[in-house]
Amino acid sequence: MQIKHWLVAGVVAAGVAIGAVVVLGSGTSVAPQSTFVLLDGSQQTTADLRGKVTLVNFWATSCTTCVAEMPDIVATYDKYKGQGFETLAVAMSYDPPSYVVNFTETRKLPFKVAIDNTGAVAKAWGDVKLTPTTYIVNKRGEIVKSYVGAPDFTELHRLIEKLLAEA
């Protein structure tokens, strides 16, 4: 009977150790399955992003940091778009759609912009409440880095280059 308890305890301990290595060692998590409704009414899903390195940016027109970082996000997109890089800007549910459309058109945003009308996308991506919140997703659809607030764009570019170089 005592051997059985030790055996069970050993198996449980081994399972916990392996689980910790998988969770802590990888530093990645699968991007949540989401459907993004773009300004033109079309839809894009998380699955559509596979095979590309993608920056997913949750933002709002009323967020001063979001507005301030947008030229850097545009420059990042322009720098890497021909290399398998995608950008998806997701406007928060409280942002009036007319403001999002106006901002997108007047700033000539060159990447895809979605409006999260119901808040379901922000909820799926970790219950995003603070803007800007940015996620970097690798070609396999895994979140490899997240930023709350404006990222260090030099560091971000190094990460994007590393991810683009991966098979």
Side-chain angles (χ1 to χ4, degrees), residues 15-83:
V16 168
I18 290 168
V21 169
V22 169
V23 172
L24 300 176
S26 68
T28 62
S29 62
V30 176
Q33 186 53 272
S34 305
T35 299
F36 305 95
V37 178
L38 305 181
L39 290 184
D40 66 4
S42 67
Q43 295 184 351
Q44 184 163 25
T45 66
T46 309
D48 297 332
L49 304 175
R50 291 240 173 177
K52 294 185 176 191
V53 175
T54 306
L55 181 150
V56 179
N57 175 251
F58 288 86
W59 68 290
T61 58
S62 59
C63 161
T64 55
T65 304
C66 300
V67 171
E69 78 172 358
M70 203 55 80
D72 291 319
I73 291 177
V74 169
T76 300
Y77 173 77
D78 286 342
K79 182 174 182 176
Y80 298 109
K81 68 181 176 189
Q83 302 173 47

Side-chain angles (χ1 to χ4, degrees), residues 39 59 99-111 113:
L39 290 184
W59 68 290
Y99 290 22
V100 176
V101 169
N102 183 53
F103 186 94
T104 301
E105 289 175 353
T106 59
R107 307 298 196 294
K108 297 186 180 2
L109 298 185
F111 41 76
V113 177

Side-chain angles (χ1 to χ4, degrees), residues 110-161:
F111 41 76
K112 295 174 181 166
V113 177
I115 297 180
D116 184 15
N117 285 325
T118 65
V121 176
K123 190 161 196 61
W125 285 72
D127 203 16
V128 174
K129 299 231 188 291
L130 299 174
T131 56
T133 295
T134 303
Y135 296 92
I136 303 301
V137 181
N138 67 17
K139 294 175 186 176
R140 293 180 303 281
E142 301 163 330
I143 297 171
V144 296
K145 181 88 175 164
S146 62
Y147 302 89
V148 176
D152 173 334
F153 280 91
T154 302
E155 174 197 304
L156 175 64
H157 287 195
R158 278 195 296 270
L159 175 60
I160 290 168
E161 289 165 10

